[in-house]
Amino acid sequence: MSRQTDVVVIGGGQAGLAAGYHLRRRNLDFTILDAQDAPGGAWRHMWDSLRLFSPAAFSSLPGRPMPHQFGREYPDAAHVVDYLTAYEHRYDLPVVRPVRVHGVHRDGARLRVETDAGTWSARAVISATGTWWRPFLPAVPGREVFTGRQVHTTGYRSPEQFAGQRVVVVGGGNSGAQIASDLALHGGIEMMWVTRRPPRLLPDHVDGRALFDVATARRRALEAGLPDSGGVASLGDIVAVEPVRAARDAGLLKAQPMFARLTREGVVWADGTAAGADAVIWCTGFRPALSHLAPLGLRGRRGHLATDGTRAVGEPRLHLLGYGDWTGPASATLIGVGRPARDAAHRIRDLPA
Ligand SMILES: Cc1cc2nc3c(=O)[nH]c(=O)nc-3n(C[C@H](O)[C@H](O)[C@H](O)COP(=O)(O)OP(=O)(O)OC[C@H]3O[C@@H](n4cnc5c(N)ncnc54)[C@H](O)[C@@H]3O)c2cc1C
């Protein structure tokens, strides 16, 4: 026996909650299925020193501003978890957890959602499962022979895990810069930061708020047929949040070029230079967690599915939310997910009954 509803939202992180907010406003009947046993999505698993790259007021979901975190202009992950928990309760969003979705199938006029807690049948599905659950590790030679510890960003919590060790941090994005800074500032850890190309720190005054403005201006310009400014990517890659600034100003944030391979004891560059290491932290990004959509046989490239806005090309009853800019500008941010969530709810309401 399957449970009937208008819409199933898969994932109860920020994107799933923003979808819920807009579905409720359109009087649609819906259920949010979330694999975790508590609210907060990926934020529950992020490292202790992580700071948002925007102030609280610029990290808000639709309808309810994120409150200021006492003593912190840029809130930590625990504050986001508290905010998402309160948001869920404030709007009385029907989140069922823990429920893991295994597959979404076509079933005549409806979609069938198979889970470890039974089956749901819906007119439409919004997939909002994020990326944290699919860490990406590059194919670097020697990864299997290295005898030290290897963790991905998802396994990092605090410098104490690496006390007294020689640690190589790989990756020139925000996670790499923040974790490298965290380790470098801790003391007692021999940290080396390696990046494929020289890291590009944004100017100190450019935070997530400014990036959002740039992305919005770019979208408007493109919509108006004006030339592409290059948007956010033309400014740099790394937001100089407080720990990154502190490490940079102390001269501790110097990057080395990427090594060629790992050995049993460490890493080696193409010119033969070697360095010993006890651990490697791979801050090398994520891929969208979409395996539950495989039964639909949709096409895509590099782990993304083809979309028109949030709607899947090839399955108009399926929308994708969050993940990255390919599901809407800034869709994978707290402040940016509201707009694509609204569009998805709007288009679902207009689906033929
Ligand atoms: C290190 C880091 C720092 C970031 N900093 C910022 C920042 O400062 N500001 C900002 O706006 N954004 C930031 N982001 C980006 C983004 O806001 C977060 O990644 C956010 O967690 C994305 O929310 P989401 O709801 O799309 O996905 P998630 O938070 O990952 O939520 C998805 C939910 O779906 C569930 N799920 C997954 N698969 C299934 C399944 N098959 N069945 C049922 N449930 C499932 C998961 O358990 C999870 O609860 C950051 C991201 C990272 C990685």
Side-chain angles (χ1 to χ4, degrees):
M1 255 279 288
S2 63
R3 281 151 279 195
Q4 308 285 315
T5 182
D6 271 340
V7 188
V8 165
V9 179
I10 307 173
Q14 66 200 36
L17 301 189
Y21 173 89
H22 282 294
L23 291 168
R24 169 72 42 79
R25 291 191 63 162
R26 280 156 189 78
N27 287 325
L28 289 160
D29 178 48
F30 64 97
T31 302
I32 302 174
L33 306 177
D34 186 40
Q36 305 217 57
D37 51 19
W43 296 104
R44 291 166 50 75
H45 305 276
M46 295 194 190
W47 59 94
D48 300 346
S49 72
L50 179 132
R51 297 287 174 269
L52 291 194
F53 47 68
S54 312
F58 294 86
S59 303
S60 300
L61 295 180
R64 187 177 169 84
M66 180 185 285
H68 180 74
Q69 183 175 24
F70 184 70
R72 277 206 180 121
E73 190 184 3
Y74 295 85
D76 60 21
H79 187 69
V80 184
V81 173
D82 291 347
Y83 169 66
L84 295 181
T85 307
Y87 190 92
E88 222 178 280
H89 292 143
R90 165 74 180 78
Y91 294 109
D92 196 18
L93 296 174
V95 187
V96 190
R97 57 166 71 90
V99 177
R100 175 164 296 281
V101 173
H102 295 311
V104 178
H105 304 257
R106 292 192 183 87
D107 194 1
R110 298 180 71 84
L111 293 172
R112 195 175 74 247
V113 180
E114 303 276 4
T115 82
D116 58 6
T119 305
W120 272 259
S121 167
R123 220 156 56 82
V125 165
I126 297 179
S127 183
T129 47
T131 59
W132 184 262
W133 326 97
R134 244 190 102 197
F136 173 74
L137 289 172
V140 177
R143 236 180 51 208
E144 62 299 336
V145 300
F146 178 60
T147 51
R149 186 154 43 134
Q150 295 187 60
V151 297
H152 184 265
T153 310
T154 51
Y156 181 74
R157 276 321 274 236
S158 71
E160 283 74 26
Q161 291 170 277
F162 300 94
Q165 296 189 0
R166 299 162 302 168
V167 185
V168 178
V169 178
V170 183
N174 282 293
S175 305
Q178 285 198 34
I179 291 176
S181 304
D182 204 19
L183 293 169
L185 291 167
H186 185 261
I189 295 170
E190 224 178 276
M191 192 282 297
M192 186 193 299
W193 184 29
V194 301
T195 60
R196 277 202 191 283
R197 54 177 187 157
R200 300 188 310 156
L201 262 68
L202 289 156
D204 285 4
H205 66 277
V206 178
D207 61 9
R209 174 178 35 185
L211 292 176
F212 185 68
D213 289 345
V214 173
T216 307
R218 182 189 190 205
R219 176 174 51 75
R220 291 202 179 119
L222 291 174
E223 280 168 6
L226 296 169
D228 189 353
S229 58
V232 172
S234 63
L235 295 176
D237 303 313
I238 299 165
V239 180
V241 290
E242 202 186 295
V244 172
R245 267 185 232 185
R248 178 201 62 195
D249 294 348
L252 300 171
L253 202 56
K254 304 249 163 57
Q256 308 295 325
M258 181 63 188
F259 51 82
R261 63 190 167 88
L262 286 119
T263 61
R264 280 177 61 79
E265 300 82 22
V267 299
V268 180
W269 282 264
D271 67 0
T273 313
D278 301 303
V280 176
I281 306 179
W282 298 97
C283 302
T284 41
F286 302 87
R287 296 288 181 264
L290 298 176
S291 60
H292 55 290
L293 301 178
L296 296 172
L298 300 169
R299 283 168 193 272
R301 284 178 55 222
R302 300 173 64 209
H304 300 183
L305 295 183
T307 46
D308 158 25
T310 57
R311 191 171 63 187
V313 172
E315 181 43 83
R317 296 167 296 181
L318 172 68
H319 288 255
L320 293 107
L321 201 56
Y323 302 112
D325 285 352
W326 57 281
T327 65
S331 178
T333 65
L334 284 152
I335 196 170
V337 72
R339 187 186 162 110
R342 186 192 64 193
D343 294 348
H346 191 75
R347 290 170 91 174
I348 287 172
R349 188 200 55 193
D350 292 345
L351 276 173

